[in-house]
Amino acid sequence: RKEVEQDPGPFNVPEGATVAFNCTYSNSASQSFFWYRQDCRKEPKLLMSVYSSGNEDGRFTAQLNRASQYISLLIRDSKLSDSATYLCVVNGGGGSYIPTFGRGTSLIVHP
Amino acid sequence: DGGITQSPKYLFRKEGQNVTLSCEQNLNHDAMYWYRQDPGQGLRLIYYSQIVNDFQKGDIAEGYSVSREKKESFPLTVTSAQKNPTAFYLCASSTRGPGQNSYNSPLHFGNGTRLTVT
C-alpha cells in the first residue's frame, strides 16, 4: 500500500460546481498535513495546512479524519483558475519527518 | 523578499556529462530537499539535509550527489551514472527538519530546473 494515495482524476467540472478530493495515508502516527496546488510545468505552492478541527480559507475547506486516515479538500463555486493539480502532503510519524507526497489529483474547470 | 532560487531554469546537457543544479535560500531554513518530477508523476525525494555538513539519501539517490557546506545552499549534481536524468528538479526548504520535533512546517519550493539530457 502506498503511503499517501490520491485519485489522479481528472475531475472535470463546470464553473460554479463544488468538488471534493480525498487523500488517504497509511502512517497512523503522521503529524501534519497540507494541500498544495501545482500548475502545469510550475512548482507546487502551499494552498493550505490541514488542522485537526478542520479549516476554511475562502472557497476552500480542508478536513482531517484521523480515525479513517484521510484528509479532504472541498472547493466551492469552482473558477476556471482553479484548474490545476492538487497535491496532498503528509509529514511525520514513526520518527520520520520527511514530507510524503501523493501523486496529485487533476482538476479541470470548464466554462 | 525571502525565497528559494533555483538556477538555471532550463538546462541542456549531453549524455555522459555531469551537471550541477543550484539551489539557494535566504529564508534561514534548516532543512532543504531535492525532488524529481517526471511528466504525469508525483514528486520523488532524491536527497535531504537537516543541517550544514549533513545530508541523507532519499528514495532515488542513485546517480546523484549533494553538498551542504552552507546553510543557504544545497546544490545537486546529476552524474553520468543517472540512467534517466531528463526531468523537472525541485528544491525545497522548511523551518524544521527531521528529528527536531516540529512537524508543522510546510515546504517552500524554488521555481525548478528543467533538465534535458540528449
Side-chain angles (χ1 to χ4, degrees), chain A residues 78-92:
Chain A
S78 298
K79 311 292 185 191
L80 296 177
S81 58
D82 292 334
S83 297
T85 297
Y86 291 84
L87 302 170
C88 165
V89 180
V90 176
N91 282 10

Side-chain angles (χ1 to χ4, degrees), chain B residues 82-94:
Chain B
Q82 169 49 233
K83 298 285 187 256
N84 297 295
T86 294
F88 186 40
Y89 290 88
L90 287 157
C91 180
S93 69
S94 63

Side-chain angles (χ1 to χ4, degrees), chain A residues 36-107:
Chain A
Y36 284 74
R37 170 195 170 125
Q38 186 175 25
D39 293 292
C40 189
R41 301 176 71 81
K42 299 280 191 180
E43 78 277 17
K45 293 186 178 178
L46 180 67
L47 180 65
M48 57 197 306
S49 302
V50 186
Y51 302 122
S52 298
S53 55
N55 48 298
E56 189 174 302
D57 183 2
R59 297 181 293 108
F60 299 85
T61 301
Q63 292 194 314
L64 167 64
N65 186 318
R66 284 193 184 272
S68 300
Q69 293 182 209
Y70 74 85
I71 66 172
S72 63
L73 178 67
L74 179 79
I75 305 175
R76 291 181 298 278
D77 188 24
S78 298
K79 311 292 185 191
L80 296 177
S81 58
D82 292 334
S83 297
T85 297
Y86 291 84
L87 302 170
C88 165
V89 180
V90 176
N91 282 10
S96 170
Y97 172 83
I98 306 304
T100 303
F101 283 78
R103 293 181 64 175
T105 297
S106 175
L107 172 65

